[in-house]
Amino acid sequence: MAPPAPDLTAAPDLFTIGVEEEFLLLHPETGESLPVAAQVLAALPAPDREQSRKEFRHSMVEMVTPVCADLAELRAQLLTLRLAAGRAAREAGAQLVSVGATPVMERHRSVPDEPRYHTISRRFGPVAHDPAVCGCHVHVGVPDRELAVQVCNHLRPWLPVVQAITANSPLYDGCDTGHASWRSMQFDRWPSAGPTPHFEDADDYDSTVRQLVAAGIMLDPAMVYWYARPSAAYPTVEVRVGDACPTVDDTVLVAALVRGLVATSVEQVRAGVPAPQLRDCLVAAAHWRAAHEGLGGHLVDLRSGGQKPAWDLVEELFTAVTPALVRHDDLAYVRGQLDRLHEEGNGATRQRRVLTESDGDIRAVLDHLAAQTTAR
């Protein structure tokens, strides 16, 4: 007998939230990536070390918040972890910097001495030895896996806008790449990365992942690097499209918008609203445009197929998730942070402003980023 269909109406009214943030460890004088992650993790106080993760580069650390119920709790957790990691980095002779891609240079590209990392290195070759990239991964509690797959379908039109908001990696090899998010360009070289495909249901998702593993594209389901996915480790929808954000408030803003999008998508699934049927090539094009332009130009509106100023689409996203923001008591915070972002620009815009004002001094940009990373 076939198992009963999952009850898609059983979603909670309020959604938990958590964030994983990846950081670079940079030389305070040269800006070069430093392979001191092991020292930094060892120097963390025990409670903060439990919230840390070893990453794929010796110059990276990841800090993971506990499950949070509201933005105030999330903000406090993010700040605590950033401050602890910043202190540990200084003890190891490095600066903790929240930036999407390696801005200057990374000489040491060997992977940590773990069997899985060595297997990835052998399988994927030079792609696995690119300079480090750092992302911001937002988890929103969706315990029903069938529902999580359907939510990912509904998120597809909006994720390029989220990507543009978070764009924070214009620099690479000491130069401005012309892209707001060079991390996106670099990360998309992985064959299991990119826009989330549309899936009919959880069985379709699982079958596709099994085929990709069998084809050698992934080692296992943990290597699903799509921009949104049912998490392989937690009962959540994980949105992983964004660069690491410069400040705590930048991260909390993105987390609030993602939670609003997930909650809105759950409502649409409950109401029987079908997800938009979008051609994968157009979705990929919209993400490329978002990575290139950030918030400084026009983005692709996947609902209409045309172009709009980036900030028009940001405001449309805000309007779409407003009921969910109200339910979570996030509306005033998000509105205020969007207004700040409109005035200051996203991370890429701020980096370029400092670069211009300092007559091209990348060291000034990195000092600015380090200060923002642990700003209270």
Side-chain angles (χ1 to χ4, degrees):
M1 179 183 296
D7 179 7
L8 298 187
T9 68
D13 291 328
L14 299 178
F15 294 78
T16 57
I17 194 167
V19 172
E20 301 168 353
E21 291 193 296
E22 297 167 341
F23 302 101
L24 281 183
L25 300 165
L26 302 183
H27 192 287
E29 299 298 329
T30 67
E32 181 177 339
S33 299
L34 287 179
V36 294
Q39 297 95 300
V40 172
L41 296 178
L44 288 169
D48 302 313
R49 194 181 312 124
E50 292 176 1
Q51 301 300 131
S52 69
R53 300 288 186 273
K54 183 184 292 185
E55 261 299 335
F56 196 63
R57 285 281 170 271
H58 293 287
S59 59
M60 293 174 64
V61 294
E62 180 178 50
M63 306 302 291
V64 181
T65 72
V67 178
C68 299
D70 56 47
L71 297 189
E73 181 185 7
L74 179 68
R75 189 182 190 282
Q77 291 288 347
L78 288 167
L79 183 58
T80 295
L81 293 173
R82 284 185 178 218
L83 290 173
R87 286 191 294 268
R90 287 192 294 275
E91 291 178 20
Q95 282 185 319
L96 185 81
V97 176
S98 188
V99 65
T102 298
V104 177
M105 181 188 300
E106 183 157 27
R107 299 179 193 273
H108 304 279
R109 301 188 193 177
S110 62
V111 299
D113 190 17
E114 294 187 4
R116 176 180 171 79
Y117 288 159
H118 287 304
T119 301
I120 291 173
S121 175
R122 289 192 299 270
R123 174 78 59 87
F124 298 100
V127 172
H129 294 272
D130 276 344
V133 293
C134 296
C136 172
H137 304 165
V138 179
H139 289 260
V140 181
V142 180
D144 185 281
R145 201 159 176 283
E146 184 69 49
L147 179 59
V149 169
Q150 300 301 331
V151 165
C152 290
N153 289 338
H154 281 264
L155 292 176
R156 278 160 49 95
W158 292 113
L159 291 185
V161 185
V162 175
Q163 183 178 20
I165 291 171
T166 67
N168 184 39
S169 51
L171 303 179
Y172 176 74
D173 200 22
C175 300
D176 190 331
T177 64
H179 291 75
S181 173
W182 185 249
R183 167 188 168 271
S184 299
M185 301 294 104
Q186 195 174 321
F187 192 62
D188 279 357
R189 295 177 65 192
W190 288 90
S192 57
T196 310
H198 183 281
F199 295 103
E200 292 302 317
D201 50 32
D203 285 343
D204 185 25
Y205 180 96
D206 292 338
S207 174
T208 302
V209 171
R210 284 195 299 270
Q211 291 177 64
L212 289 169
V213 171
I217 302 303
M218 309 172 187
L219 297 186
D220 50 45
M223 283 195 75
V224 172
Y225 295 152
W226 294 323
Y227 296 153
R229 67 180 187 181
S231 171
Y234 308 108
T236 64
V237 167
E238 179 185 3
V239 172
R240 45 189 298 121
V241 71
D243 286 1
C245 298
T247 70
V248 166
D249 280 314
D250 292 324
T251 300
V252 177
L253 169 62
V254 171
L257 290 172
V258 168
R259 176 161 72 169
L261 281 170
V262 169
T264 301
S265 298
V266 166
E267 283 199 349
Q268 292 171 337
V269 175
R270 287 165 134 180
V273 177
Q277 295 291 323
L278 305 170
R279 290 188 180 276
D280 288 344
C281 59
L282 294 178
V283 178
H287 279 288
W288 187 92
R289 192 67 182 269
H292 186 269
E293 302 291 329
L295 295 176
H298 285 65
L299 301 178
V300 177
D301 182 354
L302 284 168
R303 298 161 303 163
S304 68
Q307 296 184 45
K308 288 183 179 177
W311 271 101
D312 286 2
L313 282 173
V314 172
E315 290 299 330
E316 289 176 24
L317 186 159
F318 175 74
T319 298
V321 302
T322 287
L325 296 177
V326 170
R327 282 199 305 277
H328 288 91
D329 199 24
D330 295 346
L331 185 68
Y333 177 87
V334 170
R335 182 68 267 171
Q337 291 302 317
L338 284 175
D339 290 344
R340 173 188 63 81
L341 202 67
H342 201 178
E343 180 178 349
E344 295 180 357
N346 63 7
T349 298
R350 286 176 241 166
Q351 288 187 54
R352 285 169 168 155
R353 183 182 303 125
V354 174
L355 194 65
T356 298
E357 292 174 350
S358 65
D359 293 326
D361 183 359
I362 289 181
R363 181 65 260 162
V365 177
L366 300 182
D367 286 343
H368 164 79
L369 281 168
Q372 289 210 314
T373 299
T374 54
R376 293 176 182 271

